[in-house]
Amino acid sequence: MDITLRVWRQTGPSDRGRMVTYEVKDVSPDASFLEMLDVLNERLILEGDEPIAFDHDCREGICGMCGMMINGVAHGPERATTTCQLHMRHFKDGDTIDVEPWRAAAFPVVKDLVVDRGAFDRIIQAGGYITAPTGAAPDAHATPVPKADADAAFEAATCIGCGACVAACPNGSAMLFTAAKVGHLGLLPQGQPERDSRVVGMVAAHDEAGFGGCTNTGECTTVCPKGIPLTLIGRLNSDYRKSRSGRGR
Amino acid sequence: MKLWNEGDPIADKAAPDGPVETRWERRQFGAKLVNPANRRKLTVIVVGTGLAGGSAAATLAEAGYKVRSYCYQDSPRRAHSIAAQGGINAAKNYRNDGDSVYRLFYDTVKGGDFRARESNVYRLAQVSVNIIDQCVAQGVPFAREYGGLLDNRSFGGTQVSRTFYARGQTGQQLLLGAYQAMERQIAAGNIEMHARHEMLELIVVDGRARGIVVRDLVTGEITTDFADAVVLASGGYGNVFFLSTNAKGCNVTATWRAHRKGALFANPCYTQIHPTCIPESGTHQSKLTLMSESLRNDGRVWVPKRAGDDRKPADIPEDERDYYLERIYPSFGNLVPRDIASRAAKNVCDEGRGVGPGGLGVYLDFADAITRLGRPAVEAKYGNLFEMYQRITGEDPYVTPMRIYPAVHYTMGGLWVDYDLQSTIPGLFVIGEANFSDHGANRLGASALMQGLADGYFVLPNTVNDYLAAGPYPAVATDDPAVVSARASVEDRISALLAVDGDRTVDSFHRELGHIMWEYCGMERTEEGLTKALSLIRALREEFWTRVKVPGTGEQLNQNLERAGRVADFFELAELMCIDALHRAESCGGHFRAESQTPDGEALRHDDAFSYVAAWEFTGTGEPPVLHKEALDFEYVHPTQRSYK
Amino acid sequence: MAASGLLLVLFLFAHMAGNLKIFVGAASFDHYAHWLRDIGTPLLPRTWYLWIQRVGLTAAVVAHIASAVVLARRARAARPVRYAHRPKVQGSYAARTMRWGGVIILLFVVFHILDLTTGTLNPIGDAQHPYANVVADFAPSRWYVTLFYTLAIVAVGFHLRHGIFSALRTFGQQSPRGERRARAIALVLSVVLVVGYLSVPFAVLTGLVS
Ligand SMILES: Cc1cc2nc3c(=O)[nH]c(=O)nc-3n(C[C@H](O)[C@H](O)[C@H](O)COP(=O)(O)OP(=O)(O)OC[C@H]3O[C@@H](n4cnc5c(N)ncnc54)[C@H](O)[C@@H]3O)c2cc1C
Ligand code: HEM
Ligand code: HEM
Ligand code: SF4
Ligand code: F3S
Ligand code: FES
């Protein structure tokens, strides 16, 4: 199939950037979106152009490194699918596809489709962990965890930190990402001692990083490749309120 | 020309002898300690933030050392360990099914086809128990049973249930645990994290590893960093095959640069090929995706009996199908170990009976399972795997049989280390998949995660102190000739890569190198093939340096430049792999030499001649390396020949 | 945001209840308007209660708008560069129109107060007889007023459908069941409000109330 791509090209943070059009011929429907870009890049290199920079690593939907806006939708049209797992068979011959980087002040563009998501690490630094020094742990069976809690914690823990939620949120909020970690750790007995300080610290770091406020729009969960549920934001709010009003644990 | 020379044997001097059960305890007791007040004055560089590097950095920082961590991804959380699916072994015996430290030790030595050190493996089994405790305390959401206790499964043909898992995302959850522990230390100021930085050279001053040269992948800036010890946790080198289940960025650069500086590289030819991967779909293919081995519990593997039969699978009648694993291995059937299942698939494809594009695939058919168990039961067990398969191939495995093919998955070889995990360069420690230590010639499923975390949380933090106790080592001057030359070599290499300005892309070279390796140094190796591969690789390496085209400059984010550097190192590694495979004229574990097989086609080991670790010394690009042998003794688990008929 | 919003919702319900008295008859409706001014007497001087309510409402509206502005400015700052290909609405339509919806409501309220409270824009404008004012307002010949009211009330409906749900989430509703319940509550309350409010102009329009 033949595709017309309009890709955001930006040589660096100081460049203004622009959309550039490329024709890509004979794309295999079995190729992934990134493989289609690989093929285009091979051609650009031989033609003496600079290939399109984009982030990726595992190419199996788990590392969270890849991600781009495809026709205005984070990670493209397939639900619960990262860009690297999106295949060209979901497009039609002759389609024009717009490709842009995640847009958020907290995710400055590094080059082309590559953005800096260091803000996510800073949110985790502000409390997204359980203090458990190596060697100090009790036997793993010392504290049983109800299966329902363990499963819910797992579901929250599957967040891959890709940033699609921020990219899609009309407010540029990272509340789903933050809530996923608050939920994961807060649902486990091991996470209780730091539950209050965690949520307060992480929300402060979230705001500090320049993400917008959440108005419960719900676009984030729609594009989230792991389907992190919106209810976790409610949980975060509840934890936050309790700890601020001193009713926390 | 001689392909290699033999040098002096080497030995692991760090492991105590005596009863294997207490060796680790005695080693810890014998190791010198560092006073907590002095730890702050000692710096450790950790390259890599996977399970091994992440857990090591967090633990060392917690202990009070100053740590500086590096990874090439944009965040430490994305290290390739994140992709591990199946699970992690531990000798907890929570199932009361006869498991024990000793049994895990036994299984791992045997699984490694008697090419691993008993001391190391025993320690690994001992420490496995603490890993689970540690991870649960960190909040790793392992699968649980209704009673609230941890669930286990049996994995990769073991007879006990000792694999802990978090759905199909065990690696992710374990890595996030280590990552979060790291982030806590970063916030506390004990770890300085440098993401999007690539180590391109090791700095050795006065015979000790004292620092690294790194490139900031965003600005292209080359800098040096010095420390009292350097830890490499940079993962495996499976990407030398171009197509593998590894992440695209996995590379050998960090360890290869150390090898060039004098660290011995052990058993490079031991690679593990996983039988159940999704086959290549065309020339655009950039990597291969693994599907859990558990599929073989219910799926039946077959190909058409007739070569070139291109009918749809449904149109091929039962009596024209060859369920070859069930036919050749009647007692294990579809559940034979990874290496055997892989080789058998290759054989039928070589006979022209492969299915799918290019004839590189075999069917994994669930029709019987669906009839026997009903579709809902199959869905409950494998639903997400089927979904993943359908996402990638566009085919519905409930209707059409899956197509699978083997792919390179794990590399057992790596830098040689002693019991302390110290390489032959003092002050250079190597952990995780980057070292060669615990798996011998073949790795059991669910044991790489165990090893990475054992190394990082428990082993390294208890051995590195013995080395650091003699520190702080004298400050390294930036104008030290060793530093200047290390830095210059990095800069020269980058200029050289950019200067070629030829007419072939980096990927085209990498792909071609991968083909050579897969063909001649893959599932089945012969003397003739390996010799041929060596000359092909050398010719291709030369062509690379005259025809490669790397656009852009070194002073910017330049992903092709990064790749070019990695591929350049893969060329040199590929040669060493072929030499290692050539010299090891036996079949063992992941290394099958066609010349060394039993009359019915099974791997034949030669313990009398090859019961050693092959540790190679670098002598120059294209020059014959020097082989140092470390003899392996088996006091506890006595070598036997594997048989799965 | 949620606190001020919910206060406004309470007012809307009270106000709707008052409006519905129109079906009981002119006297009752007018009486209600007078009663509003008498609440609290003799404890409070006449119309004081109404003024307290007005001050409270104004404060809530100001607080509400202020926080809406803060959020909107934060959102703009969080995404300084827009997408070239504008993201399609993936979540709910109501959620994506909160800000414009709010502005429309505000404009409406201004118009509405000039119309029915001060009477400035009302054809009758007799503060003593609100019933007559209302009836005059929605006379068939003044269809455009009815249309504007309808649009505004539908906008209120949309605003509340997301607003109530969102406020419940903000107050910490967090289970999948709670989520379904919150969505249902929001939908039902909004529909009740829209129907309740719209019934008045349409009743006048169709002559049911005259
Ligand atoms: C698909 C898949 C599934 C697997 N499933 C399982 C399983 O179920 N059970 C199991 O036990 N094992 C499994 N394995 C194997 C296991 O995941 C790996 O062996 C293990 O995670 C390796 O961990 P590591 O810490 O050594 O290295 P990695 O996780 O690979 O980390 C390497 C780190 O080094 C950094 N790095 C590399 N080079 C450089 C450089 N030059 N400069 C700076 N930084 C560098 C990277 O950024 C990264 O942070 C699986 C492997 C694959 C591919
Ligand atoms: C009678 C009038 C109004 C009522 C009853 C009302 C009610 C609400 C409620 C309940 C919310 C949800 C709060 C939350 O999310 O937690 C809300 C949100 C919002 N309102 Fe209003 N509102 C009214 C008028 C306005 C006006 C006049 C504006 C703006 C000019 C406005 C702008 C907004 C905005 C932007 C939000 C979204 C912010 C958010 O969800 O937190 N509203 N409103
Ligand atoms: C068709 C529907 C409506 C009718 C018939 C109606 C009628 C009236 C009347 C008669 C008054 C004057 C009361 C008095 O001063 O005695 C009034 C006041 C008011 N109405 Fe409405 N109204 C309607 C819808 C709305 C809506 C949708 C809103 C808000 C979003 C609203 C907000 C107000 C406000 C703020 C006042 C002023 C209250 C005060 O004086 O303090 N009304 N309305
Ligand atoms: S919540 Fe979902 S979209 Fe957001 S970072 Fe996590 S996985 Fe990505
Ligand atoms: S889209 Fe944005 S507004 Fe909240 S619910 Fe999601 S973060
Ligand atoms: S490349 Fe890892 S999630 Fe897409």
Side-chain angles (χ1 to χ4, degrees):
Chain A
M1 58 206 261
D2 297 345
I3 295 284
T4 305
L5 277 186
R6 300 201 305 147
V7 183
W8 183 260
R9 301 303 307 263
Q10 181 174 342
T11 54
S14 55
D15 182 25
R16 289 199 48 173
R18 69 216 60 87
M19 296 294 267
V20 178
T21 306
Y22 301 97
E23 304 290 334
V24 198
K25 301 253 179 282
D26 285 332
V27 179
S28 161
D30 288 326
S32 72
F33 201 83
L34 299 186
E35 286 169 341
M36 182 270 296
L37 289 179
D38 287 343
V39 171
L40 170 60
N41 275 345
E42 292 282 289
R43 194 188 89 200
L44 294 181
I45 295 170
L46 293 178
E47 288 171 356
D49 277 343
E50 271 220 34
I52 301 161
F54 59 89
D55 264 333
H56 64 101
D57 202 24
C58 73
R59 296 212 175 182
E60 47 186 77
I62 192 73
C63 73
M65 188 100 173
C66 69
M68 49 193 82
M69 278 309 216
I70 299 172
N71 282 338
V73 180
H75 287 307
E78 285 290 289
R79 283 234 170 172
T81 303
T82 53
T83 307
C84 59
Q85 293 276 74
L86 172 67
H87 283 75
M88 294 309 293
R89 66 179 78 92
H90 301 296
F91 297 91
K92 290 194 301 294
D93 188 33
D95 272 0
T96 299
I97 306 172
D98 286 351
V99 186
E100 294 174 80
W102 291 165
R103 295 276 186 212
F107 288 171
V109 174
V110 174
K111 182 177 180 180
D112 298 341
L113 305 172
V114 176
V115 301
D116 176 359
R117 285 167 291 202
F120 272 8
D121 293 330
R122 295 197 292 280
I123 294 178
I124 300 295
Q125 278 158 34
Y129 48 75
I130 288 172
T131 301
T134 311
D139 185 90
H141 272 179
T143 316
V145 180
K147 186 167 167 54
D149 289 352
D151 287 350
F154 176 85
E155 194 185 9
T158 55
C159 163
I160 58 174
C162 62
C165 45
V166 176
C169 173
N171 299 318
S173 174
M175 209 44 88
L176 192 64
F177 167 82
T178 310
K181 188 49 62 191
V182 167
H184 160 209
L185 300 176
L187 278 155
L188 293 171
Q190 290 83 1
Q192 298 313 311
E194 290 160 298
R195 188 162 164 183
D196 290 337
S197 56
R198 175 180 307 121
V199 66
V200 173
M202 288 179 75
V203 169
H206 168 277
D207 294 355
E208 169 93 358
F211 292 109
C214 172
T215 58
N216 300 311
T217 313
E219 301 269 305
C220 49
T221 192
T222 327
V223 299
C224 173
K226 299 295 147 182
I228 299 295
L230 216 48
T231 43
L232 287 168
I233 294 185
R235 223 190 121 79
L236 175 144
N237 289 332
S238 152
D239 277 10
Y240 188 76
R241 184 178 317 281
K242 282 187 201 142
S243 55
R244 290 313 293 267
S245 65
R247 280 184 293 122
R249 1 175 90 250
Chain B
M1 194 182 90
K2 253 193 118 180
L3 286 173
W4 75 89
N5 296 307
E6 189 160 339
D8 298 333
I10 50 163
D12 170 15
K13 300 205 183 68
D17 29 297
V20 75
E21 294 82 1
T22 56
R23 280 181 200 166
W24 178 225
E25 196 183 324
R26 283 179 289 131
R27 175 62 196 133
Q28 289 181 82
F29 186 70
K32 289 193 271 311
L33 297 178
V34 182
N35 174 334
N38 288 340
R39 293 184 196 157
R40 260 175 287 131
K41 298 176 202 144
L42 292 160
T43 310
V44 182
I45 289 173
V46 182
V47 179
T49 59
L51 286 180
S55 57
T59 306
L60 292 173
E62 224 162 60
Y65 299 107
K66 284 250 157 292
V67 176
R68 283 198 289 273
S69 273
Y70 291 85
C71 71
Y72 68 77
Q73 294 93 342
D74 70 334
S75 162
R77 67 179 291 148
R78 307 202 200 283
H80 173 58
S81 296
I82 199 121
Q85 305 172 350
I88 177 167
N89 286 335
K92 277 286 198 189
N93 193 27
Y94 281 158
R95 284 305 170 87
N96 194 26
D97 57 1
D99 198 9
S100 63
V101 167
Y102 198 88
R103 189 179 294 278
L104 177 54
F105 159 64
Y106 177 90
D107 287 353
T108 309
V109 171
K110 180 163 177 257
D113 224 0
F114 303 95
R115 291 294 174 262
R117 267 186 215 145
E118 285 189 332
S119 308
N120 285 54
V121 177
Y122 195 88
R123 173 178 64 190
L124 177 65
Q126 278 177 310
V127 164
S128 70
V129 175
N130 308 78
I131 295 175
I132 302 302
D133 298 343
Q134 177 62 25
C135 294
V136 166
Q138 285 174 343
V140 170
F142 283 119
R144 290 190 181 256
E145 296 178 324
Y146 284 98
L149 300 180
L150 296 170
D151 193 12
N152 296 132
R153 59 184 173 203
S154 81
F155 197 73
T158 52
Q159 287 153 311
V160 291
S161 240
R162 63 159 77 102
T163 306
F164 294 78
Y165 66 101
R167 246 175 266 178
Q169 281 126 283
T170 317
Q172 180 196 28
Q173 295 310 322
L174 295 173
L175 183 65
L176 292 180
Y179 156 75
Q180 286 161 201
M182 259 187 99
E183 292 296 335
R184 181 166 76 89
Q185 295 301 329
I186 293 172
N190 302 331
I191 299 180
E192 203 180 284
M193 181 68 222
H194 300 272
R196 287 203 206 266
H197 277 71
E198 185 164 43
M199 164 184 167
L200 294 176
E201 197 56 270
L202 179 74
I203 297 173
V204 181
V205 181
D206 298 332
R208 294 177 187 280
R210 293 305 308 277
I212 57 176
V213 182
V214 292
R215 179 168 178 270
D216 179 332
L217 298 181
V218 174
T219 63
E221 196 191 353
I222 310 282
T223 49
T224 48
D225 189 10
F226 308 118
D228 296 289
V230 176
V231 179
L232 297 186
S234 52
Y237 51 83
N239 273 353
V240 65
F241 290 87
F242 186 71
L243 289 184
S244 82
T245 62
N246 288 11
K248 288 295 284 176
C250 290
N251 66 88
V252 76
T253 294
T255 46
W256 192 256
R257 296 281 122 194
H259 174 55
R260 291 178 59 109
K261 281 277 160 81
L264 302 188
F265 208 110
N267 300 334
C269 81
Y270 290 164
T271 45
Q272 181 165 75
I273 296 187
H274 199 290
T276 46
C277 300
I278 301 178
E280 240 180 286
S281 66
T283 51
H284 54 263
Q285 192 83 33
S286 60
K287 74 152 281 175
L288 296 168
T289 305
L290 172 88
M291 284 196 307
S292 169
E293 200 147 41
S294 63
L295 287 169
R296 286 199 282 144
N297 288 335
D298 287 301
R300 295 181 69 195
V301 177
W302 64 277
V303 289
K305 279 193 174 150
R306 184 164 55 79
D309 187 341
D310 55 6
R311 285 175 292 176
K312 288 209 186 76
D315 298 340
I316 302 180
E318 202 59 32
D319 61 346
E320 289 177 45
R321 299 175 175 193
D322 180 10
Y323 294 89
Y324 60 90
L325 287 178
E326 298 169 23
R327 174 170 59 80
I328 310 175
Y329 306 98
S331 59
F332 274 73
N334 295 300
L335 289 172
V336 291
R338 291 180 178 178
D339 52 336
I340 292 174
S342 299
R343 215 165 46 245
K346 175 180 156 57
N347 290 341
V348 295
C349 293
D350 287 351
E351 290 161 14
R353 298 195 286 146
V355 298
L360 291 179
V362 298
Y363 289 125
L364 179 61
D365 200 336
F366 285 86
D368 281 1
I370 292 172
T371 332
R372 181 163 44 91
L373 308 166
R375 182 172 159 146
V378 172
E379 223 171 282
K381 244 172 146 169
Y382 306 114
N384 46 3
L385 291 168
F386 278 32
E387 213 177 277
M388 173 171 97
Y389 180 86
Q390 185 163 17
R391 197 197 300 278
I392 293 173
T393 62
E395 289 173 7
D396 179 0
Y398 292 104
V399 182
T400 341
M402 282 185 180
R403 287 174 295 109
I404 54 166
Y405 200 62
V408 173
H409 180 55
Y410 183 85
T411 50
M412 279 76 73
L415 290 184
W416 185 90
V417 289
D418 63 13
Y419 191 65
D420 284 357
L421 304 179
Q422 185 163 220
S423 72
T424 46
I425 301 177
L428 180 70
F429 293 79
V430 190
I431 59 178
E433 195 174 339
N435 73 22
F436 88 106
S437 65
D438 302 353
H439 308 296
N442 183 36
R443 178 180 67 87
L444 290 182
S447 61
L449 301 183
M450 169 172 73
Q451 182 226 335
L453 290 179
D455 287 0
Y457 282 131
F458 298 104
V459 180
L460 180 81
N462 283 301
T463 59
V464 75
N465 41 293
D466 193 57
Y467 178 80
L468 290 173
Y473 294 92
V476 181
T478 24
D479 60 354
D480 189 295
V483 178
V484 174
S485 78
R487 203 191 155 100
S489 76
V490 168
E491 284 161 352
D492 292 349
R493 213 162 95 105
I494 290 177
S495 325
L497 285 168
L498 291 165
V500 181
D501 196 25
D503 57 358
R504 277 190 69 177
T505 63
V506 174
D507 270 12
S508 80
F509 281 105
H510 194 177
R511 212 176 268 278
E512 192 175 333
L513 173 66
H515 276 301
I516 299 173
M517 291 301 284
W518 181 245
E519 193 55 36
Y520 302 111
C521 197
M523 279 178 276
E524 188 172 307
R525 298 138 181 208
T526 63
E527 184 174 344
E528 194 196 338
L530 289 163
T531 317
K532 182 166 172 200
L534 273 169
S535 64
L536 291 173
I537 295 167
R538 286 178 181 162
L540 192 64
R541 167 161 52 77
E542 273 163 29
E543 190 181 334
F544 175 83
W545 284 101
T546 52
R547 285 186 62 190
V548 74
K549 184 174 178 80
V550 182
T553 71
E555 288 82 49
Q556 55 171 180
L557 177 75
N558 188 336
Q559 296 174 322
N560 270 279
L561 179 61
E562 296 164 25
R563 261 180 251 161
R566 293 173 193 156
V567 172
D569 288 333
F570 278 140
F571 275 117
E572 298 186 2
L573 166 78
E575 260 181 68
L576 185 65
M577 287 174 72
C578 290
I579 292 173
D580 186 39
L582 195 56
H583 110 280
R584 191 170 281 279
E586 65 159 349
S587 296
C588 63
H591 169 63
F592 186 83
R593 275 288 294 265
E595 297 93 342
S596 179
Q597 48 181 310
T598 62
D600 47 3
E602 296 308 322
L604 185 62
R605 251 185 12 241
H606 293 298
D607 292 331
D608 43 345
F610 290 103
S611 186
Y612 61 79
V613 173
W616 298 92
E617 181 187 337
F618 184 78
T619 55
T621 306
E623 298 296 319
V626 177
L627 169 65
H628 300 274
K629 295 177 180 174
E630 180 200 333
L632 292 170
D633 302 322
F634 293 92
E635 292 173 55
Y636 294 90
V637 189
H638 297 293
T640 48
Q641 207 62 248
R642 293 193 305 164
S643 168
Y644 294 94
K645 290 262 163 168
Chain C
M1 183 93 265
S4 56
L6 285 188
L7 214 70
L8 296 174
V9 171
L10 286 183
F11 164 76
L12 276 185
F13 271 95
H15 185 41
M16 179 179 76
N19 286 349
L20 290 178
K21 282 184 182 277
I22 204 159
F23 292 104
V24 184
S28 164
F29 191 72
D30 289 348
H31 175 78
Y32 157 73
H34 295 297
W35 168 76
L36 262 182
R37 286 157 178 78
D38 290 338
I39 298 180
T41 46
L43 260 176
L44 292 171
R46 206 179 118 80
T47 76
W48 270 44
Y49 166 76
L50 191 60
W51 280 108
I52 290 172
Q53 180 191 304
R54 281 174 182 165
V55 168
L57 275 181
T58 314
V61 167
V62 168
H64 192 75
I65 294 176
S67 34
V69 167
V70 167
L71 276 168
R73 291 182 50 154
R74 252 186 84 184
R76 282 192 87 90
R79 173 152 315 120
V81 184
R82 325 252 103 202
Y83 288 108
H85 191 122
R86 266 192 59 188
K88 285 182 284 211
V89 174
Q90 305 219 2
S92 100
Y93 182 73
R96 290 299 290 263
T97 52
M98 287 304 276
R99 294 196 180 115
W100 280 113
V103 171
I104 291 173
I105 298 167
L106 185 71
L107 291 177
F108 163 77
V109 171
V110 171
F111 168 84
H112 178 60
I113 290 178
L114 292 176
D115 175 9
L116 289 175
T117 306
T118 64
T120 325
L121 298 175
N122 194 275
I124 296 181
D126 176 357
Q128 291 307 311
H129 297 99
Y131 184 90
N133 295 346
V134 170
V135 171
D137 226 1
F138 301 124
S141 59
R142 284 171 47 96
W143 57 270
Y144 45 90
V145 173
T146 313
L147 184 69
F148 181 47
Y149 265 81
T150 311
L151 285 180
I153 287 164
V154 170
V156 170
F158 270 112
H159 192 85
L160 290 187
R161 198 189 110 204
H162 179 67
I164 294 174
F165 162 73
S166 171
L168 292 175
R169 154 82 41 71
T170 302
F171 286 124
Q173 147 305 111
Q174 50 181 269
S175 66
R177 231 177 86 224
E179 162 134 356
R180 255 173 288 143
R181 212 180 303 142
R183 284 197 193 281
I185 292 175
L187 183 65
V188 168
L189 290 184
S190 320
V191 168
V192 165
L193 275 176
V194 169
V195 170
Y197 275 110
L198 280 186
S199 62
V200 176
F202 281 91
V204 175
L205 197 68
T206 53
L208 211 69
V209 168
S210 58

